[in-house]
Structures are given as C-alpha cells and as structure tokens.
Amino acid sequence: MELAMDRAALEDFLARDFGQVAEDFAVERADATGVTLRLKVAERHLRPGGTVSGPAIFALVDVAIYLAILSRIGPVALAVTTNCAVDFLRKPEAGRDLLAEARLLKLGRRLAVGDVLVFSEGMAEPVARAGLTYSIPPR
Amino acid sequence: MELAMDRAALEDFLARDFGQVAEDFAVERADATGVTLRLKVAERHLRPGGTVSGPAIFALVDVAIYLAILSRIGPVALAVTTNCAVDFLRKPEAGRDLLAEARLLKLGRRLAVGDVLVFSEGMAEPVARAGLTYSIPPR
Amino acid sequence: MELAMDRAALEDFLARDFGQVAEDFAVERADATGVTLRLKVAERHLRPGGTVSGPAIFALVDVAIYLAILSRIGPVALAVTTNCAVDFLRKPEAGRDLLAEARLLKLGRRLAVGDVLVFSEGMAEPVARAGLTYSIPPR
Amino acid sequence: MELAMDRAALEDFLARDFGQVAEDFAVERADATGVTLRLKVAERHLRPGGTVSGPAIFALVDVAIYLAILSRIGPVALAVTTNCAVDFLRKPEAGRDLLAEARLLKLGRRLAVGDVLVFSEGMAEPVARAGLTYSIPPR
C-alpha cells in the first residue's frame, strides 16, 4: 500500500493547518500500519500533581487518528470526528512525552474507524486507549 | 436530597483547585438533578473555521460530571475519569458559549456514571453527547 | 413533527422483519420524543443468578434506537449499527420486564445518533445507559 | 507471567458456569498476551441476510474479555461488565465462525480494561472492535 502522505507531508500539513496547536505534536512514524504521534508535554498540558490532562490526551488521540486517515487519503480537511471513546488506564509519568500509536481499522467511503494506544515514552504499559470514528466527506 | 456542595461552593472549588482552567467555566446550576456548566468560549477554544475544538468540549463534559459528583459527595479531589465516550452531533454555533447539562445516573461506592448533553447557548439541538465514568477513592 | 411510523406500524414491522426475535419485544410508545420498547424478560434472557444478560440488554437498546429511527424515516431496512456504547449501572430486578426509553439526538442524512435509558419496570433508577450510532443508506 | 487458568481450565469453567451458552464458544488460545475465543456460528446467531447479529457479537467480546481476566486472576465469578463500546466495522462473512482476539490493557485491583478485535475466520480485516471495562470484587 502506498501512502498518500508520508511523515514529512503530515508534519507540513500540521504546521500549515493547525496553527499553534501544531507545536504540541511531532509525527514520529507514518507507514502502512498507522501513525505514531508525539505530544511534546509542556506546562500547559498538565493538571495539578504533574499529570497530563484529559483534554490533552483527547487532543493527542484525535489528531493521531486524523493524521492516520490523511496518510491514506491525502489532505481532506473536512473529515470530522463523530465519536471518541477513551479509557484512561494509568497516570502518565511526570516529565515524559506521550506517544500515541494509531492504527486504522476501517477506511470506508463515509466512515473511518481507528484505535490508539497512548504510552508515556519508554514505558511498557499504556496510559490510555481510545477508539475514534471520523466522518469523511464525499470525494 | 441535600447537596453536599451548592453552586457557589462548586465555583469556589473550581477557582481554588483548577487554577487558570477555572476561568473557562461558570457553574450555572447545581441541584438534585445535576449541574449546568458554561464554557465561556474564547479564541483559545476555537478551531480554524470558528468552531469549538474537540478537546475544549471534552474538558467541558469532564468538568461538568466531576462537579455533579462533588455536588453530592463533597470536595473529593481524587476522583478520576476512567472512561469518556463523546458523540459529536453538530457544529457548535460560532460566537456562542456552550452549556453542558450533566446528570448522574449512578453514584456507587467505587464508580460514578453520568451523561451530558452540550448545547450552543440558545439552540434546541445538542452539539454533543457524552457518557463518563469516574472512579471514586475509598472514603 | 409527523411520525413516518406509529406504534402499531413499528410493531408490524418488527413482526414481519425480525422473525422470532420480535416475540421478545413490545413497542409501548412512539412519539416525537422517541420510543419506549419493552423486553418481555423470559428464561432465555437470564444469566445464572436471575439477572438479565448483557447481550439481551444490548439487543434491547439496539432495537429501540432502530425503531426510533424508523418512526421518523419509515421502514429503511438497511440502516446498520456502527457504534454502541453501554454503561451497565445496576443489576436488573429479577422477574421484571425491562423498559428502554430511546430518544434520537441527531437524524442526519448519513448518520443517526440516539441514547437510551433502560429500567426494570416500576423502578426509578436505570439499570443501563447506551449511546448508539446508525449509518443510514442514501435515500 | 504464569496464568492462573490455562485454555483447558477456561473451557471447563465455561462448561460449568455458563450452561447452554458454553456450547456457543471454544477457547482457542490463552497465554500471557490474552485469549482467542471462537463463536461457533449457528442459525440462532444470524440476522435475516445471513449476517451474525449484534447481540451475538456483543456476547462474544464480553465473554472473551471475561475469560482473559480469569486467565490471570482465577475463577472470580463476580466480576461484572461496567462498560462496553463496540465499533461494527464490516459485515461478517456468512458461513464462517467468528474469532475474538482479546487482550488485557489493565488489570487493577478494582477495574480491568481490555480490548478485542473480531474476525471472520480466515479474513484479514476485522468485523468489529470493542473496549470493555470489568469491575472486580475485592479479593
């Protein structure tokens, strides 16, 4: 399978279309299996106690699946999240970036479905799991 | 049923324990039925195109259920979200605050479950629906 | 709003298109707000201990939302469930039917989203809550 | 990691505690990674059109995660499902069994979380994905 957008193309897309938010993320990998997205954890992502906030984890898994879809169909700016279910499993480690491993389970004409495991960098046990559905505009 | 924390007590708790995030929210209602929480939509909550971002909606529903739990059991700072499922139904209206109507469906010794409807202020059709589970520490 | 199918029409549809499964259910209500569907609890729906099984509750909420959609758009046999999230809140009461209160939150051209509260008949506290998404074929 | 119950012990448990339902299933694998459970698809699992019904898929993923938990902690009959979210991705192939690949993502003192991919036997693309949470009684 050929990718419509590789790692560099996804990074360019982020920088161009996501404005300031793009600074939070780095695309570590994009291949036939999916995408790895890094959240460069900073003060603004933390809750009191030093743990990464739920909304920051939500943003990470949402962008990760979005990029996994774009890597296959190209820069379709109008795909929108219709459903996102997150299980929060463990407290993220303080002072470590988060890595989201996203894979596409279905890429249909109208709907794309993927899931994501989120890890504190270097740790074996996931901190969160998410399943997301995107609605894809008619092409 | 008597509330452990009323609207004013919840606002104080937000201001004290949520730091800067508290400025995003206002508690509109807290009664036996649940809590209404306002997201004071500002530039930082928006996506390109003027719509409220997914992470901002996630934060809104998460805090709304958290406050609904606290209104019943008092300021237990250690309750944590274990699961959150959001359906995104419609684009929020530009230039309007969001209102989250949260109700508790179960308040057990270990788990609390609630759901939330989110509206653009003044609109009849919801922009999002969410179900959340919180784990409550032993009391 | 006028209904495309009323209570009697939904019952007829069930009997015609759902075969034996139809005997499990009775449509109690169909109006602009949604649908109430009864699961006529029988031996085959029970788990050891006398509680209604998870799959029986799943079937109940799935059929309830399906009928709520049909009540609005008529007998479109090809609508399919794409996502279903159920929170199991309490053990159903032994020896009581279950009632599912289903409402539609969105009825779009491609997707319909609804949620359901399930009660043991006569009880105030719900035993389950579910959110479902259906994909609707082009009309 | 040593398993508290291996494949044969899980099959015995099913036969003893699940009554007639046990005949629907066969445990294909139980190891440190998780459990593979087969649904022996029969007439009673089908919807008109020959596809496996949603409730049958729900039962499959629910039992698969339950057995994955038991394989680690032994025969704790009181673990109960608190949340189950299923994405239905593709129509199962007619005339083929379903295989559920279940893995545990968290096994805490109070909650266990796992996810499952479901395949029509011999096919590469999953027909469903599910995430489940179980509440575990104090040991």
Side-chain angles (χ1 to χ4, degrees), chain B residues 56-107:
Chain B
I57 291 175
F58 177 91
L60 173 63
V61 299
D62 192 31
V63 174
I65 288 290
Y66 188 51
L67 295 181
I69 295 169
L70 297 195
S71 75
R72 302 276 282 272
I73 64 174
V76 176
L78 292 173
V80 294
T81 312
T82 60
N83 177 265
C84 177
V86 188
D87 291 307
F88 297 95
L89 305 169
R90 291 171 188 84
K91 246 179 93 142
E93 294 286 315
R96 287 177 192 248
D97 283 353
L98 292 183
L99 293 173
E101 304 282 349
R103 61 179 175 177
L104 283 187
L105 298 171
K106 172 181 176 155
L107 180 58

